[in-house]
Amino acid sequence: MTTEAGIRVIVADDQAAVREGLVLLLGTMPGITVVGEAADGEEAVALVAQHRPDIVLMDLAMPHCTGAEATRRVRQEHPDTQVVVLTTYASDDLALEALQAGALGYLTKSATKDAIARALTAAAAGQAVLDPGVQRTLIRAASHNRPAPAPADGLTARETDVLKLIAAGHDNRAISRHLFISETTVKSHINRIFAKTKSKDRAQAIHYAREHRYTE
């Protein structure tokens, strides 16, 4: 809920120049006050607990804890704080993951000052705002009738992405770069994949992926 100070915002972006630029930009917007800056997802979650802002303006590709993971934690632990994603990418997977994690808005970094201001104001009022490019990716994903993760193994959408990349022969570093997540996060996903698919190693996971048509 906004206060007399206006909409209170935390900016989370691992690139210092981008983060500082956003803070300066938001400082020119009437009714918006920046109360914290985070360089990664873990710091963003900690700052939300400390400041209880109205909104986190969240990048997705951050170390230690991705923007999607941070969004999920913020929404679970501090439901009064909304999340608006501001990231470079508008891919189907990233947009869907962020929105499923609880983000109320999704913009790319090509968004104008006015678009960012509108998204923050809308989010503070509980309304969603999506970048036009993101809307197109969601419509495209829906039109392709993308299947949900196989219920038999319980793999999440992100774990499915990781399993497909493992089956395609990618190592952890390549998976990290492809999905814009840290290698630590990749390892966590792989451990959960092994547990859910009862695989002892990558070879068994690849066999499982092929047997259950995750490679098609």
Side-chain angles (χ1 to χ4, degrees), residues 162-172 175 190 193-194 197-212 214-215:
V162 172
L163 178 58
K164 288 179 178 179
L165 291 170
I166 291 174
H170 295 289
D171 60 17
N172 288 7
I175 294 172
I190 291 174
I193 289 168
F194 284 178
T197 63
K198 297 180 173 56
S199 300
K200 294 181 179 179
D201 52 32
R202 293 176 92 95
Q204 288 189 5
I206 291 172
H207 176 75
Y208 179 93
R210 291 172 177 168
E211 187 176 48
H212 291 79
Y214 281 105
T215 55

Side-chain angles (χ1 to χ4, degrees), residues 87-162:
T87 191
T88 304
Y89 308 98
S91 72
D92 293 6
D93 289 339
L94 289 174
L96 289 170
E97 183 179 15
L99 295 172
Q100 288 169 351
L104 192 58
Y106 194 116
L107 301 175
T108 63
K109 289 180 179 175
S110 62
T112 64
K113 173 183 174 180
D114 288 345
I116 294 173
R118 284 195 300 271
L120 295 178
T121 302
Q127 301 170 358
V129 173
L130 299 178
D131 178 272
V134 173
Q135 291 181 351
R136 286 192 292 271
T137 65
L138 295 177
I139 292 171
R140 186 165 58 247
S143 68
H144 289 169
N145 194 25
R146 295 170 57 142
D153 53 36
L155 293 179
T156 66
R158 179 56 82 195
E159 289 162 0
T160 298
D161 292 337
V162 172

Side-chain angles (χ1 to χ4, degrees), residues 55-124:
I55 298 170
V56 180
L57 192 58
M58 185 86 74
D59 185 26
L60 290 183
M62 295 189 292
H64 308 307
C65 173
T66 67
E69 291 172 354
T71 296
R72 186 173 293 107
R73 289 172 57 185
V74 166
R75 295 297 297 143
Q76 289 176 347
E77 299 169 19
H78 309 282
D80 290 336
T81 297
Q82 300 291 350
V83 176
V84 173
V85 169
L86 182 66
T87 191
T88 304
Y89 308 98
S91 72
D92 293 6
D93 289 339
L94 289 174
L96 289 170
E97 183 179 15
L99 295 172
Q100 288 169 351
L104 192 58
Y106 194 116
L107 301 175
T108 63
K109 289 180 179 175
S110 62
T112 64
K113 173 183 174 180
D114 288 345
I116 294 173
R118 284 195 300 271
L120 295 178
T121 302

Side-chain angles (χ1 to χ4, degrees), residues 8 10-12 35-53 56 58 62 65-66 69-71 73-75 77-78 81:
R8 302 169 70 251
I10 284 175
V11 176
V35 297
E37 304 175 40
D40 57 53
E42 289 286 355
E43 189 176 4
V45 175
L47 286 176
V48 169
Q50 179 181 351
H51 295 286
R52 301 299 177 94
V56 180
M58 185 86 74
M62 295 189 292
C65 173
T66 67
E69 291 172 354
T71 296
R73 289 172 57 185
V74 166
R75 295 297 297 143
E77 299 169 19
H78 309 282
T81 297

